[in-house]
Amino acid sequence: MDMNFVVVGCGRVGRHLASYLLEHGHNVTVIDKKANSFRKIERHPNLKTIVGPGFDRKVLESAKIGEADGLAAVTSGDNSNVVIARVAKEIFKVPHVTARIYDPDRASLYQRLGISTVASVSWSTDQFIKRLAPENDSTDWVDPTGEVVIVEKLLPKIWAGKSLASLNVPGKSSIIAINHLGQSHVVSEDVKGHEDDRIFLACQKEFIDNLDKLIRNGDHE
């Protein structure tokens, strides 16, 4: 299914991210305050470019931010990225928002603001994809036989305050760890979910579709 994304910042990271999204059939609008930043980006029928500051409401509205499934703020400044991300999340209610940061010590602060982050030093396109389009399969590790995988999933708000025990299906899936407000820890048996937590699970490969249904439904039905 094609989705709509906004990428603010047309540097190396922004270009790579836009190219990845376009290659996977999505619609992408790239915003940058400098017109010459678009010289290196390849033209594409599903690509739109806009010149202007990414935190300006009129600029975001021209990018049809209200229809966006996700926004990535990947300019060269931490402060700009967090402002852009907050505007997208708090004013325009974009479902999936993530910001690039250069100072990883700020990550937990931004998480408390409800903003997912990717540190510059550990950046890779797939890290943004996990946060922008979490319904896409996100397999982080596969055992040599190809039977067992470790996946990272975004927890929907329907799990807030609910026990995650039903995601532990004997012989099929098991929660390994959870990231809450930027802090990761191995889960306990009575762990409860919070909106926008990221969970890590070991899963039989053939059970991934069922696991996705469990996570979407918020129960074991």
Side-chain angles (χ1 to χ4, degrees), residues 76-165:
S76 59
D78 281 8
N79 291 336
S80 294
N81 288 338
V82 74
V83 169
I84 294 164
R86 291 194 70 178
V87 169
K89 189 172 184 67
E90 297 173 9
I91 296 178
F92 293 102
K93 310 302 181 183
V94 178
H96 305 296
V97 176
T98 190
R100 182 190 190 192
I101 61 170
Y102 291 82
D103 180 1
D105 291 338
R106 296 185 179 185
S108 60
L109 170 61
Y110 293 165
Q111 291 277 21
R112 290 184 177 88
L113 296 174
I115 298 169
S116 177
T117 62
V118 177
S120 176
V121 293
S122 63
W123 177 85
S124 62
T125 299
D126 67 314
Q127 291 297 311
F128 274 103
I129 294 301
K130 290 174 187 176
R131 290 156 174 76
L132 289 179
E135 67 283 353
N136 290 350
D137 286 340
S138 173
T139 302
D140 292 318
W141 178 86
V142 182
D143 86 303
T145 69
E147 298 300 321
V148 178
V149 299
I150 293 177
V151 295
E152 176 185 349
K153 297 292 183 180
L154 180 70
L155 204 60
K157 62 182 179 182
I158 55 175
W159 284 95
K162 295 179 64 175
S163 169
L164 301 183

Side-chain angles (χ1 to χ4, degrees), residues 7 19 63 70 80 96 102 114 125 152 169 179 186 190 196 204 207:
V7 177
S19 295
S80 294
H96 305 296
Y102 291 82
T125 299
E152 176 185 349
V169 180
N179 181 288
V186 176
D190 59 348
D196 290 337
Q204 291 292 132
F207 191 70

Side-chain angles (χ1 to χ4, degrees), residues 6 8 37 65-66 77-78 87 98 104 106 131 143 146-147 170 172 188 191 194 211-212:
V6 176
V8 184
S37 297
I65 190 68
D78 281 8
V87 169
T98 190
R106 296 185 179 185
R131 290 156 174 76
D143 86 303
E147 298 300 321
K172 298 296 183 180
S188 59
V191 65
H194 303 82
L211 178 62
D212 287 338

Side-chain angles (χ1 to χ4, degrees), residues 159-180:
W159 284 95
K162 295 179 64 175
S163 169
L164 301 183
S166 60
L167 296 181
N168 293 314
V169 180
K172 298 296 183 180
S173 68
S174 178
I175 302 174
I176 301 171
I178 192 166
N179 181 288
H180 176 61

Side-chain angles (χ1 to χ4, degrees), residues 196-214:
D196 290 337
D197 277 355
R198 304 198 73 84
I199 56 175
F200 302 85
L201 308 99
C203 179
Q204 291 292 132
K205 190 171 183 179
E206 74 275 5
F207 191 70
I208 289 180
D209 288 343
N210 300 81
L211 178 62
D212 287 338
K213 290 179 182 178
L214 290 179

